[in-house]
Amino acid sequence: VNGYREVMTSDTLGSIGELAVLARLFPRLPGASAALLGPGDDAAVVATPDGRVVITTDMMIHGPDFRLAWSTPHDLGWKAAASNLSDIAAMGAVPTALVIALAAPADTPVSVLEQFADGLRDACSALAPGCGVVGGDLSVSSTLTIAVTAFGDLEGRGAVLRSGARVGDVVAVSGVLGQAAAGLALLFEQAVVDGVPDAEAAAALKRRHPELLAAQLAPRPPIVDGKNAAVAGATSMLDLSDGLALDALRVARASGVGIDFSSAAVGSRMALDGGEDHSLLATFAPGVPLPGGFRAIGAVVVGEGILVDGMPYDVHRGWDPYAGWNNAAG
Amino acid sequence: VNGYREVMTSDTLGSIGELAVLARLFPRLPGASAALLGPGDDAAVVATPDGRVVITTDMMIHGPDFRLAWSTPHDLGWKAAASNLSDIAAMGAVPTALVIALAAPADTPVSVLEQFADGLRDACSALAPGCGVVGGDLSVSSTLTIAVTAFGDLEGRGAVLRSGARVGDVVAVSGVLGQAAAGLALLFEQAVVDGVPDAEAAAALKRRHPELLAAQLAPRPPIVDGKNAAVAGATSMLDLSDGLALDALRVARASGVGIDFSSAAVGSRMALDGGEDHSLLATFAPGVPLPGGFRAIGAVVVGEGILVDGMPYDVHRGWDPYAGWNNAAG
């Protein structure tokens, strides 16, 4: 499989079997501080001192969601963790644990799965220290598929929903805008050779545009700002996955308000429409000092839909994971 | 796709899109009594009054784990729920909630996904009333893939692990033994035509052997007996997924004991080796009245490994999900 070519090993998922692979992977994975019982029994047990647990699940599929020629196995582990941690953070919760179900072709080298595990570990360590992997499942499939379910602790606070934005609130964002989409655009423009995603071209792009490519392939969502926003009294919050404009429309509809962005603060059309930022969009009552890395980019207004500088903005759609994807291998 | 042929509808996952499909599926899914916040935000919030949550995850892949010519979409939803509920029960917990990540080909009819949702609903209703779906994810993939993560409540009890069996304990089982494997053997013998799984032959088999086929395609694990065993003081417990002998070997190794089965009580070689029973194997101190549907099938003995009528039993392997599967379509 393209992207595996540099790996020198003869052990594969199919040759040594799922249990033997799991025995090699679990020692590499981060433990969770909240784990009362980790992997090895029928189920894990995780502490929930708050009396509630926040839960999100997301699946990444080879093809629509990533290409092995562009993402390293470490990138995939990192992104699988980061994108789910971001959904936990968007509720105002602190991530506590993950479970991972992974299905891969039988000829997948074990070393690839080990690098994937290292990516999970490094993302947890960098973005949500104390959060770790409490369980998993490993299967054979012709399509590399990664399903992550993540858990979080509200620490006694109320969950921050999409529906709480109020007219007059400040609209603020923590994290990058548009970089992940810019990185993806570069990959489609410059790392497809004869219709097929190309690993060498992608590697060259990573050297020339490390920040944009990392935003797409191994994003660093501002996880701690989820808790910071909740503590500061954020009235609404969500994880930006489908583009600022489209995701903000979800807040606007859920809250029965309009959202007016400042084009100067947002910066670009790609910042408005580009997906997969995994930044946090939140609203705060006027006068509240913005916490952590949040910066103001607009205001909640009477009405409906999305505006830019007071003019209605036609949110046809944000980032479409299928657009531009031609089913080529890789 | 074989197995879809009876469905008459023009709406597919690809034609109306994931969000529109989810809007049609979620009203069909069972709500969870423990849900404080259900689907629709970045994450769900589930009550965990015990201060702990039991978590298990499992993935079902078209090919190794099921064939669309043999399983109806309703069967798949049922089995996805039942097999995960059984892992929760095996800890002595009461299932509270599920999240489902499903990836299907773009040409999958929405009605197929609706029947899948109905299977989830009916399994929760029949096996674990009050348990429901609190979140999900829907993606496009060339390989139909179902990842379920299930949650449970220990209600203040300790988790029942694999490691607690003590010499002298009674070994007991609740649920069927060998029926799921017998059903699968019938399917491989009589519902493969020219090397391809055949829907009509499978339907005929279901009429002739409804119990065996249902045990394989839509099992009814004795979920409530997980709690019953824990309340009765079970010293160890697990869900039988890979065959009685192999799974019992896991208990024996984790507990540092041997397990001696009575062949008369177990009944057959297929009962010993056949996988996917999703019955509960538990050990109880001698003299404890066996709760619920548990029946004695052996004893915990000094030593190691598995014995039958006092003679060592060579557990080469239990049921192997790849054995007999020839990669034919279906």
Side-chain angles (χ1 to χ4, degrees), chain A residues 18-19 36-37 40-62 64-65 86-88 90-91 97 99-103 134-143 145-149 151 154 159-163 237-240 242 250 321-322, chain B residues 18-19 36-37 40-62 64-65 86-88 90-91 97 99-103 134-143 145-149 151 154 159-163 237-240 242 250 321-322:
Chain A
E18 294 161 31
L19 291 179
L36 301 172
L37 179 69
D41 218 292
D42 292 283
V45 184
V46 171
T48 56
D50 175 271
R52 299 168 294 171
V53 61
V54 178
I55 302 170
T56 185
T57 193
D58 191 48
M59 207 180 242
M60 286 168 48
I61 315 281
H62 184 225
D65 296 319
S86 186
D87 281 319
I88 295 295
M91 305 301 286
V99 294
I100 318 283
L102 186 143
V134 297
D137 185 33
L138 185 61
S139 307
V140 171
S141 173
S142 52
T143 305
T145 304
I146 303 158
V148 175
T149 306
F151 309 99
L154 286 165
V160 184
L161 308 184
R162 301 175 177 190
S163 53
M237 185 156 51
L238 56 54
D239 162 58
L240 291 178
D242 295 329
R250 293 178 175 139
Y322 305 106
Chain B
E18 294 161 32
L19 291 179
L36 302 172
L37 179 70
D41 218 294
D42 292 283
V45 183
V46 171
T48 57
D50 176 90
R52 299 167 296 170
V53 61
V54 179
I55 302 170
T56 185
T57 193
D58 191 47
M59 207 180 241
M60 286 168 48
I61 315 281
H62 184 224
D65 296 318
S86 186
D87 281 319
I88 295 295
M91 305 302 285
V99 295
I100 319 283
L102 186 143
V134 297
D137 185 33
L138 185 60
S139 307
V140 171
S141 172
S142 52
T143 306
T145 304
I146 303 158
V148 175
T149 306
F151 309 98
L154 286 165
V160 184
L161 308 183
R162 300 177 177 189
S163 54
M237 183 155 54
L238 57 54
D239 163 59
L240 291 178
D242 296 330
R250 294 178 174 139
Y322 306 106

Side-chain angles (χ1 to χ4, degrees), chain A residues 136-207:
Chain A
D137 185 33
L138 185 61
S139 307
V140 171
S141 173
S142 52
T143 305
L144 178 56
T145 304
I146 303 158
V148 175
T149 306
F151 309 99
D153 179 11
L154 286 165
E155 299 181 328
R157 296 180 299 273
V160 184
L161 308 184
R162 301 175 177 190
S163 53
R166 294 169 303 199
V167 172
D169 282 354
V170 172
V171 177
V173 70
S174 175
V176 296
L177 288 177
Q179 291 194 358
L184 187 62
L186 283 172
L187 286 164
F188 274 117
E189 287 162 13
Q190 300 180 33
V192 178
V193 176
D194 296 333
V196 178
D198 186 83
E200 289 178 24
L205 267 182
K206 288 179 194 180
R207 288 190 294 273

Side-chain angles (χ1 to χ4, degrees), chain B residues 91-303:
Chain B
M91 305 302 285
V94 175
T96 54
L98 307 171
V99 295
I100 319 283
L102 186 143
D107 63 357
T108 303
V110 176
S111 58
V112 164
L113 301 175
E114 288 174 334
Q115 293 165 51
F116 173 83
D118 291 349
L120 286 171
R121 179 196 64 210
D122 292 344
C124 285
S125 172
L127 304 174
C131 180
V133 177
V134 297
D137 185 33
L138 185 60
S139 307
V140 171
S141 172
S142 52
T143 306
L144 179 56
T145 304
I146 303 158
V148 175
T149 306
F151 309 98
D153 179 11
L154 286 165
E155 300 180 329
R157 296 180 299 274
V160 184
L161 308 183
R162 300 177 177 189
S163 54
R166 295 168 302 200
V167 172
D169 283 354
V170 172
V171 177
V173 70
S174 175
V176 296
L177 289 177
Q179 291 194 1
L184 187 62
L186 283 172
L187 286 164
F188 274 117
E189 287 161 13
Q190 301 180 35
V192 179
V193 176
D194 296 334
V196 177
D198 186 83
E200 288 178 25
L205 267 182
K206 288 179 194 180
R207 289 190 293 272
R208 287 203 301 278
H209 304 281
E211 195 176 14
L212 299 181
L213 274 290
Q216 167 58 222
L217 302 175
R220 299 182 72 93
I223 302 301
V224 72
D225 271 349
K227 172 178 177 173
N228 289 338
V231 169
T235 53
S236 73
M237 183 155 54
L238 57 54
D239 163 59
L240 291 178
S241 54
D242 296 330
L244 175 61
L246 180 57
D247 283 325
L249 183 60
R250 294 178 174 139
V251 172
R253 287 180 172 160
S255 302
V257 298
I259 288 181
D260 187 5
F261 288 115
S262 155
S263 63
V266 169
S268 72
R269 178 71 186 249
M270 193 167 265
L272 262 177
D273 290 339
E276 293 194 288
D277 285 321
H278 296 299
S279 297
L280 293 171
L281 182 72
T283 54
F284 297 90
V288 168
L290 297 183
F294 281 97
R295 59 193 186 277
I297 57 171
V300 180
V301 297
V302 174

